[in-house]
Amino acid sequence: MILDTSTVDEDVSLRSDACVIGSGAGGSVVARELAAGGMDVVLIEEGGYWTSRDFTQLEEEMYPRLYRERGTRPTSDFSVLVSQGRALGGSTLVSFCLCFRPPSPVLSSWAERTGIEALAPAGFLPAVERVERSLPVRRMGADHLNANNRILKTGGERLGLRGRFLDHNRTDCLGCGYCALGCAYDRKNDAIVTYLADASHRGARILPWARADRVLYEGREARGVVGRFLRSRTGARRSFRVDARVVVIAGGALESPMLWLRSSLPNPGGVVGRHLRLNPYVVVAGIFDERVATWEGVPQSWVVDEFLDPVRFPQGGLLFFSASAQPIACAGLLPGFGWEHRRGMHDVSRMAMIAVFLNDRAEGHVSLGRRGEAVIRYELGGDDQVEVKRGLRLASEMLFAAGAERVVLPYNDLVELAKPEDARVIDERGIFANDPLFLSFHPQGTLRIGAVPRRSVVGRGGESHEVRGLYVADASVLPGAVGVPPQVSIMAFATETARAILGTLPARLGS
């Protein structure tokens, strides 16, 4: 059941077999699988419980309602803006429904690097298939190509670049284009309508507006979670305590290491918060002599994946998606100032946009700030910068090949290309902090999995090397950048974590 915590008028103490912290791609899966396995589950979520009735399709209302820091959490040098969901359902609520399998060469490299053979394709893909059936996942087709995706497809094909239709977790989509603001028509198979609904049906107690402050442990045993409600009946601050022998941290790759550090959990190798990957992207726009309206239709149904091939390009690589944004987001993305910016907004309905998605080599880290906030430090290395510049050139070429009158690059000041040859300016300008502007939806890797303690935080099954009964089930466990949107990979890891917990349950409850 989903509890109305806004009516709380006293401190709350609960007992359960397992307490899950976070309700996104990782936490929702663990909660459902554990409840289905007969465990008493309490799930706590810092954000609110919103349904399709609350999705007004107004940017000024939905960004603060559904996103952490309105979707614009910056790195320390403001070079990357990171967007993460903060609501029941996490980032699945605001995702574009992209469902990529983790590439088999990536899984093989993870298995070799971590020493965990279960990460190899033969061991891991059954969990991926279970996720795909649960969502369920479907292939997009020609009926899902809006004008923006058609331009990407046309430009790529005219340059001879490989592309394909994408797999999504949406059913009978109406093509309204407001995916990033929550689906007002319940056509997106997000965590709320799939895993969380099933977990609730199976008896899980779900607490929105509940922030976990610390994980409790004694010696090397997890004991539960303490925190506070962000709303109450009278407005007075109320706390909660959940006693549980299994604790699952699933707050995402930025918040989960913060909870770890606030809880003074063991960190003997100093690796908590390290090895952050962002898979950042930049957006290139083309102006056409026809209406494009990127915000109408399925946002991303086609991908150009010629340059993301783990066999040909084992390090790095690029994906090209169509980019979609409503007017307020467009205004934040467009370069230039004054009349230049105004002209860009005047042309926005004729603008096609391509997102250049980087499989980054760079590793950053996240640490606790003075007020307990996550401080993100991340800087692209030289190889990544070369790759980004190649991506900017390729996106420009695709837009011109599809018929663009001119191309707008994502620098702070207005830089326009009148013809493909003008792209030499990309090499001349280079890559600097906050110029061009990078965005990220996919932080990962800050509590990574591995067989060797001190070089990793959790072992096989996602259990802490140092604290028995403490697990991590979100993007932070990924041992490297998966190179593709990670929703399915995270859910598959969470499936394996739940399986590991259920496998040890008789011994744990008998101890």
Side-chain angles (χ1 to χ4, degrees):
M1 70 185 78
I2 301 175
L3 303 179
D4 182 4
T5 56
S6 66
T7 64
V8 168
D9 57 7
E10 60 184 11
D11 295 343
V12 173
S13 181
L14 300 171
R15 275 186 189 278
S16 66
D17 297 330
C19 180
V20 180
I21 306 166
S23 63
S28 64
V29 172
V30 172
R32 194 280 292 273
E33 298 291 352
L34 296 186
M39 292 184 70
D40 179 23
V41 176
V42 170
L43 181 146
I44 58 179
E45 164 59 50
E46 182 179 353
Y49 172 39
W50 310 105
T51 70
S52 56
R53 295 187 300 273
D54 304 302
F55 301 148
T56 63
Q57 300 183 344
L58 296 174
E59 292 176 88
E60 65 271 24
E61 294 180 359
M62 302 316 299
Y63 288 132
R65 185 173 292 176
L66 300 181
Y67 288 85
R68 186 176 297 277
E69 297 185 29
R70 298 173 180 260
T72 57
R73 169 180 280 187
T75 56
S76 58
D77 63 356
F78 287 84
S79 61
V80 186
L81 295 182
V82 184
S83 293
Q84 287 189 297
R86 181 180 176 267
L88 197 63
S91 293
T92 73
L93 206 61
V94 295
S95 77
F96 283 173
C97 301
L98 303 184
C99 292
F100 280 78
R101 286 189 168 195
S104 290
V106 171
L107 292 175
S108 297
S109 70
W110 284 355
E112 180 179 357
R113 188 188 319 161
T114 63
I116 299 178
E117 185 58 33
L119 295 181
F124 196 72
L125 287 179
V128 171
E129 293 167 353
R130 178 172 174 82
V131 169
E132 291 173 338
R133 291 192 298 270
S134 296
L135 285 175
V137 173
R138 296 177 174 84
R139 178 65 53 90
M140 297 291 99
D143 291 343
H144 303 104
L145 281 175
N146 65 359
N148 203 29
N149 280 278
R150 282 197 298 271
I151 287 169
L152 172 65
K153 182 174 183 292
T154 299
E157 289 176 344
R158 287 179 178 172
L159 296 180
L161 302 179
R162 184 186 68 206
R164 63 180 176 86
F165 286 107
L166 288 164
D167 293 330
H168 281 212
N169 57 309
R170 65 176 78 232
T171 302
D172 298 329
C173 178
L174 300 178
C176 74
Y178 285 89
C179 301
L181 305 181
C183 183
Y185 309 102
D186 288 326
R187 306 302 172 94
K188 183 191 295 187
N189 300 327
D190 54 39
I192 284 187
V193 302
T194 55
Y195 284 94
L196 291 174
D198 196 22
S200 177
H201 178 73
R202 295 175 183 273
R205 289 169 285 173
I206 300 172
L207 281 63
W209 297 117
R211 173 182 168 82
D213 289 326
R214 287 186 297 115
V215 173
L216 302 175
Y217 68 103
E218 294 179 7
R220 291 183 174 267
E221 299 279 345
R223 287 290 180 255
V225 180
V226 294
R228 52 198 158 91
F229 293 106
L230 301 183
R231 292 188 175 183
S232 69
R233 186 176 62 82
T234 63
R237 177 172 173 170
R238 298 297 181 185
S239 65
F240 66 84
R241 176 183 177 121
V242 181
D243 292 302
R245 293 192 177 184
V246 172
V247 175
V248 183
I249 300 176
L254 300 182
E255 293 304 314
S256 287
M258 297 303 94
L259 177 59
W260 194 286
L261 294 172
R262 288 200 307 270
S263 304
S264 299
L265 288 162
N267 183 20
V271 294
V272 171
R274 299 284 171 176
H275 307 294
L276 171 68
R277 309 290 277 273
L278 288 182
N279 283 160
Y281 69 93
V282 291
V283 177
V284 181
I287 311 301
F288 288 76
D289 64 357
E290 61 189 79
R291 177 179 168 83
V292 178
T294 66
W295 55 87
E296 294 177 353
V298 176
Q300 294 175 334
S301 56
W302 182 265
V303 62
V304 173
D305 59 359
E306 174 82 19
F307 301 100
L308 189 78
D309 187 329
V311 175
R312 293 165 55 206
F313 308 108
Q315 296 293 324
L318 299 165
L319 287 173
F320 298 89
F321 300 100
S322 62
S324 172
Q326 275 73 39
I328 292 177
C330 279
L333 289 174
L334 286 179
F337 303 92
W339 71 267
E340 291 179 336
H341 189 273
R342 180 174 180 175
R343 188 183 68 160
M345 289 302 293
H346 182 268
D347 292 335
V348 75
S349 65
R350 300 192 296 125
M351 189 177 291
M353 296 191 289
I354 294 179
V356 182
F357 178 95
L358 174 68
N359 183 23
D360 51 342
R361 301 170 178 87
E363 290 189 347
H365 68 275
V366 59
S367 58
L368 274 175
R370 287 179 294 180
R371 299 185 303 276
E373 77 280 10
V375 177
I376 311 165
R377 292 181 173 86
Y378 178 88
E379 182 178 349
L380 287 180
D383 290 338
D384 284 330
Q385 292 184 21
V386 170
E387 199 80 327
V388 169
K389 288 186 285 187
R390 179 171 71 141
L392 291 171
R393 290 193 298 270
L394 285 165
S396 301
E397 290 173 13
M398 281 189 273
L399 289 166
F400 278 122
E405 297 175 350
R406 62 185 190 275
V407 167
V408 181
L409 298 177
Y411 299 109
N412 288 332
D413 55 317
L414 180 62
V415 179
E416 289 187 332
L417 311 180
K419 54 186 182 302
E421 294 77 21
D422 293 343
R424 61 182 177 273
V425 70
I426 295 169
D427 289 314
E428 294 170 356
R429 288 189 65 109
I431 305 293
F432 298 94
N434 196 28
D435 194 34
L437 173 66
F438 286 88
L439 307 170
S440 172
F441 284 95
H442 306 134
Q444 50 199 278
T446 51
L447 296 171
R448 66 179 182 173
I449 193 172
V452 181
R454 293 183 175 271
R455 293 174 55 188
S456 58
V457 179
V458 300
R460 180 175 177 175
E463 187 171 23
S464 164
H465 290 305
E466 303 294 330
V467 178
R468 187 168 178 256
L470 175 62
Y471 293 80
V472 181
D474 57 29
S476 60
V477 302
L478 271 60
V482 68
V484 296
Q487 175 180 239
V488 169
S489 299
I490 296 165
M491 289 180 155
F493 267 101
T495 300
E496 290 294 278
T497 295
R499 178 183 171 191
I501 294 170
L502 291 170
T504 63
L505 183 62
R508 193 178 309 283
L509 296 184
S511 63

